[in-house]
Amino acid sequence: MAQLVVMYKTPKDPAAFDKHYFATHVPLAKRTPGLRKYEVSKGPVGTPAGPSAYHLIALLHYDDVAAIQQAMASAEGKAAVADLQNFATGGVDILIFDTRAV
């Protein structure tokens, strides 16, 4: 499996972020080809030392990194990426990697 991890920094208006994210962005992202599972953080995102700079973390699961790249190159993936400017006012970090059990 592989993961696309999207880490949304605290937005200017958290309520507006949440409304747009769940009503508009999630449905866009769920249409990306090859998506196996979509998870988001629940409640505050913290660190062992306390609060973090992140408002929400999304974990999108695909078969492999090639599947993530294909999803992002698709029309649905491009629409989801373009939508970030509509709500991610605090900034966003995106990571892509393969996973393995240890």
Side-chain angles (χ1 to χ4, degrees):
M1 294 294 290
Q3 286 193 13
L4 170 67
V5 177
V6 186
M7 301 181 302
Y8 296 98
K9 295 179 183 170
T10 302
K12 294 175 185 170
D13 184 344
F17 173 100
D18 290 346
K19 181 178 179 183
H20 185 94
Y21 183 79
F22 290 105
T24 302
H25 192 73
V26 168
L28 282 173
K30 281 189 166 186
R31 289 196 296 267
T32 59
L35 179 65
R36 300 290 182 215
K37 185 177 180 181
Y38 194 139
E39 299 174 292
V40 297
S41 57
K42 180 179 176 183
V45 177
T47 72
S52 77
Y54 294 99
H55 176 69
L56 186 133
I57 308 291
L59 307 168
L60 287 75
H61 303 256
Y62 294 84
D63 288 337
D64 51 35
V65 169
I68 294 172
Q69 293 167 334
Q70 290 172 348
M72 294 299 99
S74 71
E76 297 87 351
K78 289 177 182 177
V81 170
D83 186 51
L84 293 173
Q85 67 184 336
N86 296 324
F87 70 97
T89 58
V92 62
D93 295 321
I94 301 173
L95 305 171
I96 299 170
F97 53 89
D98 276 315
T99 62
R100 63 183 171 146
V102 294

